[in-house]
C-alpha cells in the first residue's frame, strides 16, 4: 500500500476505530502518514470538545454546507439551520456515534474538510523516495483558511489571516526540512509543533465564530 | 461668576454626568462557587481582570460602554459552574468600541477559570487554580500565580508572565511575544510561530522547560547559580551562548558551533530545551 492509497482511507481511519492490517502496517512504516494521522486525530478530537451550549448563527451552517458541496461530500438537498443534512451524504457515519449532536458532526466534518485541504497540499512521501525535494508542502493560504478568516469579526480578521499565513509557512519549511533529513528529530518536532499551531488557530477561530 | 455663567456650568456638569452614566454602566453580582467549581468568561472587547476573593464567594463587577451589549452572569444551583458572557442585544450590531465590557472578577483559590476574548485584555493577579486563557489580540498578563495550571492560547496577543511558581504552563502563541520573568515549575512549555520568547530567571525547581519557535527570537538570561541541563538548537538560525556550561558527554545531537550547544551547570537539576527553526537563540549570564 502506498501513501496515496492509504490517504484515500483516512476518514475511516481517523473517525472510526482504525484501519485494517495493511493500513496499520503502512502507518507503522511511514512517518509522514503517521504524522498526518496523528494531526487529523488531534483535530477531530478537538472538534468533539467544541460542542457549544448555543447554536451558532445560520451563516456558520451555510458556510459548512458550501464547503461540503465544494468538496463533493454532499450532492443535492440542503442542510437545515439545525445542521441536519437532508440529502444522503457520500460519507456514512458509524452507528456507535449516535450520541453525537448534529452540531458535533458538523464541526467534525468541518475539521475533516480542513484536513482534506491540507491533504491536497500534503505530498505523498515514502521512505524510499527521498531523492528529490518537493516544493512547498502547503501553500501560503488555502480555501479552508479563507473560510475561517471570513467567519471572524472584522476587528481580528487580519490577525487570523496573518497568523494562518505564518503557520502555513512554518509547516512548509518544517516539512521541507523533514523531507531533506527524515531522521532529523528537531525538524520532526518543528513539523508537529507547526501543525499544533494550525490546530490551535482553527480551534480558536471556530470557537470564536460560534460565540 | 455671574448667574448665566453658573447656569451654564451647572448645565454642562449635568450633561457630562448624564453622558458618563449612559456611557459607563457598572454592575456587580456575587455567586456562591464550589471549591472546585468552574467559571467561564466570554468577552469580546474590553478587559477581564481576575483577582483573589476574600471568602468563598465569587464576585463579578462589569462596566458596559453602550446599551447595545449586555453581560449575562449566572451560576448553577450547586455553584459548580458560573457563566459570565457578554453578548449583543437582539437586533443590535455594536461597533468594536460599543462592544467593550470591562470585568473585575474575584474568585476563591482553587477555582478553574476559562477566559476567552477576542480583543479584550486578560489579567490574572495572585491566584492559584487552573486557568485557561485564550485571546486573539488582547494582552494576556499573569502575575503572582502559584501551584497552578496555566494554559494560554494567543494569536497576536502579547503574553507576559511574572513571578509564577510551581506552575504547569502551556503557552502557545502565533505572533504574540511571550515574556517570562521568574517563572518556575515542574513543566513550562512555550511555543510560538513568529513571536519572540524571552525568559529571565533561574529555571529552578527541577522542572522541564521547553521554549520553541519558528522564526521568533529566543532570549534567555539566567544567574550563574542556576542548576540546568541546557540545550539550544536552531536549524537555520544563529545560536549564541555566554553562560558558563560544562560540556556533556552524551547529547542527542552533535553540537555545531553557531547552530547548537548543550551543557550543564551545577547539578543540572532542571532540563531546559531551546529550539528555533530560523530564529536567533541567545543565552546570557545575568
Amino acid at each position: 500500500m502506498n501513501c496515496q492509497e492509504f490517504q484515500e482511507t483516512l476518514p475511516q481511519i481517523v473517525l472510526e476505530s482504525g484501519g485494517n492490517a495493511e493500513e496499520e502496517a503502512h502507518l507503522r512504516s511511514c512517518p509522514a502518514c503517521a504524522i498526518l494521522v496523528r494531526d487529523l486525530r488531534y483535530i477531530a478530537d478537538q472538534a468533539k470538545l467544541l460542542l457549544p451550549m448555543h447554536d451558532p448563527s445560520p451563516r456558520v451552517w451555510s458556510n459548512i454546507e458550501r464547503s461540503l458541496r465544494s468538496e463533493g461530500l454532499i450532492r443535492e438537498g440542503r442542510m437545515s439551520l439545525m445542521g441536519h443534512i437532508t440529502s444522503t451524504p457520500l460519507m456514512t457515519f458509524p452507528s456507535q456515534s449516535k450520541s453525537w449532536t448534529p452540531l458535533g458532526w458538523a464541526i467534525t466534518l468541518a475539521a475533516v474538510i480542513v484536513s482534506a485541504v491540507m491533504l491536497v497540499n500534503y505530498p505523498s512521501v515514502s521512505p524510499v523516495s527521498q531523492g528529490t525535494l518537493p516544493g512547498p508542502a502547503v501553500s501560503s493560504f488555502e480555501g479552508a483558511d479563507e473560510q475561517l478568516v471570513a467567519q471572524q469579526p472584522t476587528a481580528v480578521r487580519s490577525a487570523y489571516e496573518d497568523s494562518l499565513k505564518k503557520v502555513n509557512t512554518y509547516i512548509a519549511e518544517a516539512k521541507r526540512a523533514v523531507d531533506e533529513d527524515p531522521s532529523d528529530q528537531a525538524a520532526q518536532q518543528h513539523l508537529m509543533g507547526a501543525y499544533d499551531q494550525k490546530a490551535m488557530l482553527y480551534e480558536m477561530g471556530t470557537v470564536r465564530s460560534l460565540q | 461668576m455671574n448667574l448665566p455663567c453658573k447656569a451654564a456650568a451647572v448645565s454642562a456638569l449635568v450633561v457630562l454626568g448624564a453622558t458618563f452614566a449612559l456611557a459607563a454602566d457598572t454592575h456587580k453580582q456575587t455567586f456562591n462557587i464550589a471549591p472546585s467549581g468552574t467559571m467561564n468568561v466570554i468577552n469580546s472587547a474590553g478587559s477581564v481582570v481576575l483577582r483573589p476573593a476574600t471568602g468563598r464567594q465569587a464576585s463579578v463587577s462589569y462596566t458596559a460602554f453602550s446599551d447595545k451589549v449586555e453581560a449575562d452572569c449566572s451560576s448553577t444551583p450547586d455553584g459548580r459552574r458560573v457563566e459570565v458572557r457578554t453578548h449583543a442585544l437582539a437586533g443590535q450590531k455594536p461597533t468594536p468600541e460599543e462592544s467593550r465590557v470591562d470585568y473585575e472578577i474575584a474568585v476563591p483559590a482553587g477555582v478553574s477559570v476559562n477566559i476567552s476574548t477576542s480583543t479584550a485584555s486578560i489579567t490574572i493577579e495572585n491566584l492559584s487554580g487552573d486557568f485557561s486563557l485564550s485571546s486573539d489580540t488582547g494582552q494576556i498578563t499573569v502575575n503572582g500565580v502559584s501551584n497552578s495550571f496555566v494554559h494560554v492560547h494567543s494569536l497576536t496577543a502579547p503574553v507576559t508572565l511574572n513571578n509564577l511558581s510551581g506552575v504547569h504552563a502551556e503557552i502557545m502563541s502565533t505572533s504574540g511575544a511571550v515574556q517570562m520573568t521568574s517563572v518556575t515549575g515542574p513543566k513550562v512549555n512555550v511555543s510560538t510561530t513568529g513571536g519572540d520568547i524571552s525568559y529571565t530567571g533561574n529555571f529552578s525547581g527541577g522542572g522541564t522547560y521547553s521554549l520553541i519557535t519558528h522564526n521568533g527570537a529566543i532570549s534567555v538570561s539566567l544567574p550563574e547559580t542556576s542548576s540546568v541541563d541546557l540545550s539550544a538548537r536552531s536549524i537555520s538560525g544563529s545560536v549564541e551562548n555566554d553562560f558558563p556550561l560544562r560540556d556533556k558527554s552524551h547529547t542527542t545531537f552533535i553540537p555545531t558551533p553557531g547552530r547548537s550547544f548543550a551543557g550543564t551547570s551545577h547539578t543540572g537539576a532542571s532540563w531546559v530545551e531551546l529550539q528555533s527553526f530560523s530564529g536567533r537563540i541567545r543565552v546570557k549570564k545575568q
Side-chain angles (χ1 to χ4, degrees):
Chain A
M1 169 174 273
N2 61 29
C3 291
Q4 188 174 0
E5 291 167 341
F6 176 82
Q7 288 170 6
E8 284 169 2
T9 65
L10 271 177
Q12 182 185 358
I13 293 167
V14 172
L15 291 177
E16 298 178 19
S17 56
N20 58 30
E22 190 181 10
E23 289 157 357
E24 291 295 332
H26 179 81
L27 197 58
R28 283 193 296 272
S29 63
C30 178
C33 288
I35 291 172
L36 178 63
V37 168
R38 187 197 70 104
D39 290 333
L40 292 178
R41 280 180 174 152
Y42 177 80
I43 292 170
D45 287 344
Q46 292 299 312
K48 290 176 193 171
L49 300 176
L50 297 177
L51 302 178
M53 287 174 287
H54 303 287
D55 280 326
S57 71
R59 195 178 62 168
V60 175
W61 293 119
S62 61
N63 284 340
I64 291 173
E65 183 183 12
R66 196 161 51 246
S67 296
L68 292 172
R69 286 190 196 294
S70 67
E71 296 294 330
L73 295 176
I74 57 173
R75 291 194 189 102
E76 295 301 326
R78 63 182 182 82
M79 180 183 282
S80 73
L81 291 183
M82 293 306 291
H84 299 285
I85 299 171
T86 53
S87 66
T88 304
L90 293 179
M91 294 175 67
T92 57
F93 303 125
S95 58
Q96 64 268 28
S97 298
K98 280 176 180 172
S99 59
W100 283 35
T101 65
L103 183 58
W105 276 117
I107 292 173
T108 304
L109 278 172
V112 172
I113 292 164
V114 171
S115 307
V117 174
M118 290 164 71
L119 264 180
V120 169
N121 295 284
Y122 203 99
S124 296
V125 178
S126 66
V128 294
S129 61
Q130 302 296 330
T132 57
L133 289 178
V138 181
S139 61
S140 64
F141 212 54
E142 303 163 348
D145 295 344
E146 288 175 2
Q147 194 175 341
L148 184 74
V149 169
Q151 290 169 353
Q152 305 311 313
T154 313
V156 294
R157 208 168 280 168
S158 63
Y160 271 91
E161 185 171 346
D162 291 346
S163 296
L164 283 163
K165 286 178 178 174
K166 286 177 180 172
V167 170
N168 287 343
T169 302
Y170 189 10
I171 291 171
E173 292 188 7
K175 180 73 172 63
R176 203 175 303 134
V178 171
D179 288 343
E180 285 175 6
D181 182 1
S183 66
D184 187 339
Q185 290 184 350
Q188 290 173 7
Q189 200 170 345
H190 276 292
L191 184 57
M192 287 190 287
Y195 276 119
D196 283 345
Q197 289 267 336
K198 184 139 188 178
M200 178 192 74
L201 288 179
Y202 269 81
E203 181 188 339
M204 290 177 70
T206 306
V207 169
R208 211 73 74 209
S209 64
L210 294 175
Q211 288 170 358
Chain B
M1 192 179 286
N2 59 27
L3 190 60
C5 285
K6 281 182 181 172
V10 169
S11 301
L13 282 173
V14 168
V15 170
L16 272 174
T19 305
F20 182 79
L22 281 175
D25 192 11
T26 301
H27 302 270
K28 182 174 182 178
Q29 288 181 252
T30 57
F31 303 92
N32 289 320
I33 189 164
S36 57
T38 300
M39 176 180 279
N40 298 314
V41 182
I42 297 173
N43 184 33
S44 177
S47 64
V48 179
V49 178
L50 199 64
R51 293 197 173 95
T54 50
R56 288 308 312 169
Q57 278 197 325
S59 69
V60 180
S61 298
Y62 57 90
T63 303
F65 292 88
S66 86
D67 54 6
K68 295 183 178 179
V69 296
E70 72 174 7
D72 277 346
C73 306
S74 61
S75 70
T76 55
D78 59 4
R80 296 195 60 80
R81 183 165 55 84
V82 174
E83 294 286 338
V84 178
R85 185 181 292 256
T86 304
H87 67 90
L89 291 170
Q92 298 289 346
K93 290 187 177 177
T95 63
E97 188 62 27
E98 291 170 336
S99 300
R100 282 183 55 211
V101 177
D102 291 343
Y103 286 95
E104 291 260 356
I105 299 172
V107 292
V111 168
S112 174
V113 183
N114 305 307
I115 303 175
S116 177
T117 75
S118 185
T119 61
S121 62
I122 300 172
T123 304
I124 296 184
E125 305 269 3
N126 305 317
L127 272 165
S128 63
D130 185 349
F131 306 104
S132 179
L133 317 174
S134 168
S135 181
D136 295 336
T137 62
Q139 164 87 47
I140 297 174
T141 306
V142 182
N143 293 328
V145 164
S146 59
N147 304 319
S148 301
F149 289 85
V150 179
H151 302 261
V152 174
H153 282 181
S154 134
L155 244 69
T156 63
V159 180
T160 304
L161 312 175
N162 294 317
N163 301 316
L164 274 53
S165 60
V167 292
H168 284 75
E170 291 277 347
I171 316 297
M172 282 184 77
S173 169
T174 306
S175 308
V178 180
Q179 191 171 1
M180 292 171 284
T181 304
S182 298
V183 174
T184 62
K187 195 172 184 65
V188 177
N189 288 345
V190 179
S191 64
T192 72
T193 298
D196 294 342
I197 303 172
S198 72
Y199 181 95
T200 303
N202 59 9
F203 293 109
S204 68
T208 299
Y209 298 77
S210 175
L211 315 181
I212 301 177
T213 182
H214 174 225
N215 55 17
I218 298 177
S219 172
V220 168
S221 175
L222 64 171
E224 199 168 359
T225 53
S226 303
S227 178
V228 291
D229 181 338
L230 192 152
S231 68
R233 189 179 185 190
S234 180
I235 289 178
S236 60
S238 67
V239 176
E240 303 165 27
N241 177 39
D242 67 10
F243 185 80
L245 292 170
R246 292 191 310 277
D247 287 341
K248 295 174 68 175
S249 54
H250 298 288
T251 57
T252 56
F253 59 92
I254 300 169
T256 306
R259 284 275 187 268
S260 61
F261 66 83
T264 61
S265 70
H266 299 280
T267 61
S270 291
W271 187 79
V272 180
E273 175 193 42
L274 314 175
Q275 279 201 51
S276 83
F277 194 93
S278 56
R280 175 191 185 194
I281 300 176
R282 187 170 184 204
V283 179
K284 61 183 178 183
K285 186 178 70 176
Q286 277 179 8

